[in-house]
Amino acid sequence: MLAPVFRRILHCDLDAFYASVHMRDDPSLAGRPVVIGGNPGGRGVVAAASYEARKFGVRSAMPAARAVRLCPAAVFLKPDFDRYRRESARVFAVFRETTELVQPVSIDEAYLDVSDALQPGWSATAIARELKRRVREEVGLTLSVGVGPNKLVAKIASDYDKPDGLTVVPPHRVREFLDPQPVRRIPGVGPATAKRLAALGVETIRDLRELAEEELATRFGRHGRDLARRARGEDERPVRVDRERKSLSAETTYAQDLATLAEMDDELVRLADRVARGLERRDLSACTVTIKVRYPDFTTLTRSRTVDEPLLAAQTFGEIARELLRTTDAETRGVRLLGVGASGLVHGRREQLELW
Amino acid sequence: MEIRLDRAAFMAELTPMQGIVERKSTIPVLSHILLRCVGDRLQLSATDLDVSLTSSVTGEVTREGGIAVQARKFSEIIRALVGDEVLLALEDEKTLRIAAGRSRFKIRGLLPEDFPSLPQVKGDEPLEIPFEGLQRMISKVIFAVSTEESRFQLSGALLHIKEGKIEMVATDGRRLALVENPVDGLPDASEGVLVPRKALQELQRFEGDGAIQFRRGEHHLSFRLGQRELIGRILDGTFPDYDRVIARDNDKRVSLDRKLLIDAIQRVALLTGDRARAIRLRFAPDEVVLSAANPDLGEAVEKLACEYDGPEIEIGMNPDYLVQFLVAAETAKVRLELKDENTQCVGFPIDGADERYLCVVMPMRI
């Protein structure tokens, strides 16, 4: 067959992934609002919410206590990240059996370029249907898929009909599909940009498209030209298979503020250990250690140190993290969140030994 | 102030000031140099508060006084002027007039009172240290001085004056360089003193011959050569117990041609990445095999003859650490003493001019 003139890109998004994993394994949760996150009595944060809970306004990243007020009937569950990672790996295995061109975006989201996977009699739509069927039957989860000529359109399409959706936008229908949608649907248009656009009378993607690119460029700079391209549904970004990892981190928000340096030190050591193990699994070492501190009043800051020789021992990460903590006001103000990160990543686990 | 100067002589004293002046200082006056006419001389001073340099040049003074001027711009102007002579005169207390040939400049400056007062190092009679010898010693250890901000106490070299000799040691925690040279007539100083890296660098830029007059104050060190005096703040902190890491029971001794080894290491190191650079050295009887491998680049192998009759041993090392030692060693041949792949390697020049020179290099686990 002829090579396709247009690329065929799929955006696959698992529906309410964390909540769905729990609901799959516990039939008693079916149809009930489920919220995954920290302890609602304390100061945990919502990590995910089922569609039933979302109807009450529960959203991820909001304080769990607020979720309780919005939806008192919700079932609150603690997250089980190991389990999510396992399930995610099973889903990604299905993706990779379809095409090698899989770009993971997060644990529950990926772009697939199926342009070259098209066999006679197999359309991108058929591939999308098959993926949905396999994930449902083999893993027991539902997937929303958007099909489009590029990542931008595929992404907007997968979001169009959630959950368990399949939205196909052929190249000649891109404009027709995008035009009536609100500008907020364009990835990269957040509340701030949307507000500025609204002031220009721009509500829909069509409004945006009909605005002169020059005007957008004048008002929004380079971002303006980008907006104009997106409004036209243009996006040349390739599906990248080897998304290189730039950093690795671990953080925790505490139910109760940590007040003493001793408690904070213990936590930093634990977080540093998690980061060090993550590096080891990926055969990496790191030249920069960063700590993140959030005070009780939500002010957040980071401190980092870069060394000449890559680090790999959890102990070293912990020591540096503890020293960095002492450059903050954590001891006097207390903390509600601590994080440890590693960046400046280097392949391999070469270790320069120290004299002392 | 008003003074007429020989431009070339002035330039010669002005240029070294640039090394002291802070480029990115948040304190504006530190990007300035202080000019002051006293007697028949113009005194120049620059400081970054840790290291200061003062110097002077003779001239025809018609009025005393001083001003602090922006170091870089002032130096650019003096360099760009034409003619053998230059006239400096205060227009008002914050404006300096510069005249040479047909050029006239008026530049803004700061009051001399706003320039930080420089530490004075007084005390006993200065010690006389041959300048050339001191520069040589610095060049043999300065590469091992730590550049990591967090290792403050390693950001300088330990200068230890002993009876009849001087010892200098530097380490960044991964390698260590030690040099010891005889100097006639030195008394014994009970403890060493930490000289900051910047002071060492400036001493290397000094020109001249004869002896440096060295004084140690409570918080500062003074090095004086001719008209120039470099004053450095003594680094606080405890220098680690370096004698302990100079391995003495390394039983595998390898002798190599120094230049051939440098070349081989540098070739093989072409296939190491930017960070965590590591090469392997496998020592077998009469042959060392150097290799490097990088998943993104490929691999390199080179063989080199050596004098060795012990068991085979393989060790990973940062090529830069080895090369820096080898360059500083200067002799035709060097000896590496090894124990195993996790123990420090100690390198020595063979038949060197120094009474004692060695470099300890910690291996890399590959």
Side-chain angles (χ1 to χ4, degrees):
Chain A
M1 68 176 274
L2 289 168
V5 179
F6 294 97
R7 293 185 297 157
R8 305 301 277 151
I9 309 295
L10 271 51
H11 180 257
C12 300
D13 197 355
L14 286 159
D15 302 316
F17 176 52
Y18 297 174
S20 301
V21 170
H22 291 276
M23 293 167 81
R24 177 196 69 187
D25 297 341
D26 181 355
S28 76
L29 296 174
R32 297 176 62 185
V34 174
V35 177
I36 315 297
N39 176 11
R43 298 195 306 179
V45 170
V46 173
S50 71
Y51 284 94
E52 291 79 358
R54 291 184 198 187
K55 283 181 197 148
F56 292 88
V58 179
R59 296 283 180 273
S60 39
M62 73 168 47
R66 189 156 163 235
V68 180
R69 282 200 300 279
L70 289 169
C71 183
V75 181
F76 281 83
L77 297 171
K78 277 180 72 173
D80 181 352
F81 291 105
D82 283 341
R83 195 155 140 211
Y84 307 149
R85 266 192 286 273
R86 260 194 326 268
E87 296 306 317
S88 170
R90 292 172 66 191
V91 174
F92 275 77
V94 173
F95 293 166
R96 294 202 172 93
E97 281 172 32
T98 307
T99 172
E100 286 174 3
L101 294 174
V102 177
Q103 175 180 343
V105 179
S106 66
I107 194 164
D108 57 358
E109 198 185 328
Y111 288 104
L112 279 65
D113 185 337
V114 298
S115 313
D116 296 333
L118 297 175
Q119 305 286 325
W122 271 97
S123 63
T125 313
I127 290 178
R129 277 208 193 90
E130 177 66 4
L131 282 175
K132 282 167 62 71
R133 182 191 67 76
R134 285 189 62 189
V135 170
R136 186 172 57 243
E137 290 175 9
E138 295 172 26
V139 192
L141 296 171
T142 64
L143 193 64
S144 289
V145 182
V147 183
N150 58 43
K151 286 159 89 169
L152 171 79
V153 174
K155 166 94 182 165
I156 297 175
S158 76
D159 204 34
Y160 186 71
D161 179 27
K162 264 179 146 317
D164 203 15
L166 171 58
T167 304
V168 179
V169 184
H172 60 281
R173 292 256 168 84
V174 168
R175 181 172 294 187
E176 182 185 327
F177 169 71
L178 292 180
D179 267 359
Q181 303 210 44
V183 281
R184 280 294 302 273
R185 290 285 166 83
I186 297 178
V189 176
T193 308
K195 209 170 149 192
R196 288 174 68 190
L197 287 171
L200 298 172
V202 173
E203 300 287 344
T204 64
I205 296 179
R206 179 191 184 131
D207 297 338
L208 182 61
R209 178 170 61 77
E210 288 178 343
L211 215 60
E213 181 167 338
E214 285 313 314
E215 173 156 11
L216 279 169
T218 318
R219 287 176 188 272
F220 294 88
R222 214 172 63 193
H223 183 47
R225 294 204 184 277
D226 220 38
L227 280 175
R229 277 215 313 278
R230 289 183 200 189
R232 295 194 297 266
E234 296 169 10
D235 178 10
E236 304 296 321
R237 291 172 302 159
V239 169
R240 280 187 200 285
V241 180
D242 54 333
R243 213 165 65 103
E244 195 150 334
R245 195 168 258 286
K246 297 217 165 61
S247 68
L248 211 71
S249 62
E251 63 179 52
T252 309
T253 299
Y254 300 101
Q256 308 225 307
D257 293 346
L258 304 185
T260 68
L261 266 186
E263 289 175 286
M264 297 175 206
D265 281 349
D266 287 350
E267 277 302 304
L268 286 177
V269 166
R270 188 181 63 82
L271 293 166
D273 191 56
R274 247 167 68 191
V275 171
R277 276 186 289 134
L279 289 173
E280 190 180 348
R281 274 200 299 277
R282 293 170 178 82
D283 192 33
L284 294 169
S285 43
C287 289
T288 301
V289 179
T290 303
I291 63 160
K292 181 169 162 189
V293 173
R294 180 168 295 152
Y295 298 126
D297 66 359
F298 280 87
T299 333
T300 308
L301 55 86
T302 59
R303 291 276 182 275
S304 48
R305 179 181 302 164
T306 299
V307 297
D308 291 345
E309 294 292 339
L311 308 166
L312 31 77
Q315 198 194 337
T316 323
F317 285 108
E319 279 166 17
I320 294 177
R322 294 206 311 258
E323 283 171 31
L324 289 172
L325 184 72
R326 280 153 181 76
T327 68
T328 71
D329 298 330
E331 187 175 13
T332 47
R333 297 175 68 173
V335 299
R336 57 173 285 130
L337 173 147
L338 282 177
V340 174
S343 55
L345 302 183
V346 177
H347 279 291
R349 305 269 295 165
R350 290 181 288 269
E351 182 182 12
Q352 171 66 52
L353 303 175
E354 303 271 331
L355 282 165
W356 287 276
Chain B
M1 66 177 261
E2 189 170 324
I3 186 168
R4 198 170 289 280
L5 294 159
D6 178 75
R7 199 171 63 90
F10 183 36
M11 205 58 224
E13 296 309 314
L14 190 56
T15 306
M17 297 285 153
Q18 307 300 319
I20 304 290
V21 169
E22 279 284 311
R23 287 258 155 71
K24 288 172 276 182
S25 177
T26 49
I27 309 172
V29 72
L30 296 187
S31 65
H32 288 56
I33 55 170
L34 179 65
L35 304 173
R36 202 189 271 280
C37 286
V38 181
D40 65 342
R41 309 188 75 84
L42 177 72
Q43 293 178 346
L44 301 86
S45 317
T47 182
D48 70 355
L49 299 182
D50 282 331
V51 177
S52 313
L53 180 64
T54 61
S55 187
S56 68
V57 53
T58 54
E60 205 180 293
V61 176
T62 36
R63 229 180 317 149
E64 295 197 332
I67 187 170
V69 290
Q70 215 279 328
R72 204 142 127 222
K73 194 50 77 183
F74 181 70
S75 163
E76 280 170 12
I77 293 168
I78 301 299
R79 184 176 299 118
L81 289 174
V82 186
D84 297 338
E85 236 185 26
V86 57
L87 176 86
L88 305 177
L90 278 193
E91 183 82 7
D92 59 55
E93 58 179 2
K94 284 186 169 183
T95 309
L96 180 71
R97 184 153 45 88
I98 308 168
R102 298 176 167 205
S103 313
R104 300 288 179 271
F105 285 80
K106 281 179 192 173
I107 61 167
R108 310 268 167 266
L110 299 170
L111 297 176
E113 299 88 87
D114 294 335
F115 198 80
S117 59
L118 303 185
Q120 303 278 322
V121 181
K122 300 208 170 90
D124 312 334
E125 276 295 290
L127 299 178
E128 303 250 321
I129 303 173
F131 174 57
E132 202 199 329
L134 184 69
Q135 274 192 323
R136 263 194 77 233
M137 291 181 76
I138 294 173
S139 70
K140 287 184 179 240
V141 300
I142 194 166
F143 58 84
V145 173
S146 174
T147 53
E148 281 179 35
E149 275 175 36
S150 55
R151 299 189 174 212
F152 185 73
Q153 75 283 7
L154 301 184
S155 65
L158 185 78
L159 175 68
H160 198 165
I161 294 176
K162 300 174 170 181
E163 195 179 342
K165 59 191 177 187
I166 296 182
E167 182 186 76
M168 213 180 242
V169 192
T171 178
D172 61 5
R174 305 171 188 116
R175 62 327 200 346
L176 175 146
L178 179 150
V179 63
E180 190 182 86
N181 269 343
V183 177
D184 289 339
L186 284 184
D188 193 40
S190 55
E191 56 179 16
V193 61
L194 279 172
V195 187
R197 186 180 52 245
K198 188 161 172 177
L200 298 170
Q201 286 168 341
E202 293 309 318
L203 283 171
Q204 280 195 301
R205 285 195 199 130
F206 265 32
E207 282 167 21
D209 38 36
I212 278 224
Q213 296 190 319
F214 171 72
R215 268 199 180 94
R216 178 179 177 170
E218 194 183 345
H219 298 294
H220 293 89
L221 301 170
S222 158
F223 298 88
R224 182 183 279 279
L225 183 69
Q227 298 307 322
R228 293 185 195 165
E229 184 183 18
L230 182 82
I231 296 174
R233 184 195 296 277
I234 297 173
L235 280 181
D236 308 321
T238 317
F239 201 71
D241 177 8
Y242 58 91
D243 196 54
R244 190 162 62 82
V245 298
I246 302 171
R248 290 180 171 82
D249 57 348
N250 282 2
D251 52 354
K252 302 177 181 66
R253 299 179 174 202
V254 191
S255 299
L256 300 121
D257 182 282
R258 187 180 65 94
K259 282 200 177 119
L260 293 180
L261 182 57
I262 293 176
D263 292 347
I265 292 171
Q266 287 178 332
R267 269 191 295 273
V268 167
L270 290 172
L271 286 196
T272 57
D274 296 336
R275 277 164 158 175
R277 283 155 62 80
I279 61 165
R280 283 172 209 270
L281 299 123
R282 199 175 73 234
F283 298 94
D286 299 327
E287 184 180 78
V288 53
V289 181
L290 299 88
S291 63
N294 180 301
D296 300 327
L297 298 171
E299 49 191 69
V301 181
E302 180 154 345
K303 289 178 183 176
L304 189 66
C306 67
E307 290 164 40
Y308 177 58
D309 56 7
E312 204 166 287
I313 173 174
E314 187 175 87
I315 190 163
M317 258 194 234
N318 182 326
D320 302 328
Y321 290 1
L322 264 182
V323 167
Q324 285 171 334
F325 155 67
L326 292 168
V327 168
E330 296 181 302
T331 52
K333 292 180 81 177
V334 292
R335 182 174 78 250
L336 302 179
E337 296 186 358
L338 306 141
K339 186 176 183 188
D340 56 46
E341 69 276 15
N342 294 321
T343 306
Q344 55 267 54
C345 158
V346 190
F348 301 89
I350 295 180
D351 301 327
D354 307 287
E355 183 175 307
R356 191 176 179 212
Y357 180 51
L358 60 87
C359 187
V360 183
V361 180
M362 218 43 202
M364 276 184 117
R365 232 178 249 146
I366 303 182

